[in-house]
Amino acid sequence: MSQQLESLCLRLERCVAKLEKCSGGSGAGDSADSVPASVVAYNEFVEDFLKPYYAASAVLGGLIDEQAKLFQTLSDKHRDFLMVVAKNAEPKDGSVLQKLLAPVSGAMSKVQDLRSADYKNYCSALNEGSMAFSWMGYPKAPMKFVEGIRDSVKFYTNKVLVESKNGDKKEENRAWVKVYTGLFDGLIEYIKGNHRTGPSWNASPGKPAPPPKPDHLVKNSSEAAAHGGTSDIFIPPPPPCPPPADSPTETGFVLDFSKADQAKRALMADLNQGVEITKSALLDV
């Protein structure tokens, strides 16, 4: 409970700092040079998920801390790419995109090159995890891609937990595993909110990128593009089904069979009475 309150307080402090910054500026938040919303969201991801991982790595020290610093450089290069995406139109030439991604790829290689036999499972977990920052190459399902990376990472972090369960830094390793595996959940949420069908390039360079589309628009836009239509047409969701009628006044007309049943029972009673009268008359004769 105390950790949750501390986390909540930190987030509130960041929100207050942002509000103070916006109120103290002269309309900077509305200028074209301001930080795009998707990059602001990434900054929040860094604060909430990456920085706790960096801190836990510093506690373990040694090679683990070195890896975290390389991972931080990878995250910075990833952020630079996101800034380019938010302020520019998608390049038509694939070679241009490769050049833009080259710094990310180089930083990723440095993470993967740092290895040690004494930290085999740590290194394998970082090797797998660094590849999550290549989600841009899987525009059809970037979240699924990161989910697969997360599962691969947990295979190795589980081994870390087994190896360290009787060691001096058992709790420190548990904390490290928790924050490291958790950052992939945070990355998935970030992609879901900002780049769920691939990098959200700015269709109008020089202007702020539009906010992410609602889920039903993303789905329908993808379907329209698959059938040869434009990818940004507006297809509203189907209207909801009408609620069931709870009373006759809602439908305007309701068939009521109760009166017919009463008439039928009355008729049968009269017929039975007639039969009895006939029987008594025959007996008198």
Side-chain angles (χ1 to χ4, degrees):
M1 181 62 71
S2 60
Q3 292 180 350
Q4 293 178 349
L5 289 174
E6 182 178 355
S7 176
L8 179 60
C9 290
L10 289 174
R11 297 186 69 176
L12 288 173
E13 289 175 0
R14 288 197 295 270
C15 290
V16 171
K18 290 178 183 177
L19 291 173
E20 291 177 347
K21 183 177 179 180
C22 291
S23 62
S26 56
D30 297 331
S31 68
D33 295 332
S34 63
V35 180
S38 60
V39 180
V40 171
Y42 187 76
N43 293 343
E44 294 175 352
F45 159 72
V46 171
E47 291 289 334
D48 294 340
F49 293 94
L50 286 180
K51 286 192 174 181
Y53 156 64
Y54 301 151
S57 298
V59 171
L60 292 176
L63 185 86
I64 310 305
D65 191 29
E66 292 181 43
Q67 286 180 322
K69 291 177 180 177
L70 292 175
F71 208 88
Q72 183 174 1
T73 301
L74 172 59
S75 172
D76 292 342
K77 300 300 181 183
H78 179 252
R79 182 188 183 278
D80 292 342
F81 174 78
L82 296 176
M83 182 70 79
V84 173
V85 168
K87 293 190 173 184
N88 297 273
E90 182 177 5
K92 296 181 180 180
D93 189 349
S95 62
V96 174
L97 180 59
Q98 291 180 354
K99 290 180 181 179
L100 292 174
L101 289 172
V104 178
S105 178
M108 190 183 304
S109 296
K110 290 183 179 180
V111 173
Q112 297 173 352
D113 290 342
L114 184 61
R115 288 183 169 274
S116 171
D118 296 333
Y119 296 90
K120 178 180 178 181
N121 290 313
Y122 292 94
C123 294
S124 296
L126 266 292
N127 188 346
E128 291 289 333
S130 65
M131 291 189 289
F133 289 94
S134 62
W135 60 265
M136 301 81 77
Y138 301 84
K140 291 185 178 180
M143 291 182 292
K144 287 289 185 182
F145 172 74
V146 178
E147 288 174 1
I149 295 295
R150 178 192 59 193
D151 294 341
S152 298
V153 166
K154 287 184 177 181
F155 174 79
Y156 294 105
T157 54
N158 285 339
K159 291 186 176 183
V160 170
L161 292 175
V162 172
E163 290 177 351
S164 61
K165 67 179 181 179
N166 296 322
D168 296 335
K169 294 187 176 181
K170 174 183 176 181
E171 295 303 322
E172 290 84 348
N173 277 280
R174 289 182 61 182
W176 181 87
V177 168
K178 181 178 180 180
V179 294
Y180 179 58
T181 56
L183 74 84
F184 300 100
D185 295 326
L187 182 58
I188 290 170
E189 287 301 312
Y190 168 75
I191 295 172
K192 181 179 180 181
N194 299 274
H195 307 280
R196 64 182 305 157
T197 56
S200 299
W201 297 90
N202 194 335
S204 302
K207 298 181 180 180
K213 296 179 180 179
D215 291 352
H216 67 272
L217 292 186
V218 172
K219 179 180 178 181
N220 290 326
S221 297
S222 302
E223 293 176 353
H227 289 82
T230 60
S231 60
D232 58 351
I233 62 173
F234 180 88
I235 304 179
C241 297
D246 294 330
S247 63
T249 57
E250 294 182 3
T251 60
F253 179 76
V254 176
L255 292 177
D256 187 359
F257 293 98
S258 60
K259 294 182 179 180
D261 291 338
Q262 293 174 2
K264 189 195 306 183
R265 287 194 294 269
L267 177 61
M268 293 301 297
D270 290 341
L271 290 174
N272 290 333
Q273 184 178 3
V275 170
E276 293 298 329
I277 294 173
T278 304
K279 286 182 178 180
S280 61
L282 291 174
L283 291 174
D284 293 339
V285 173

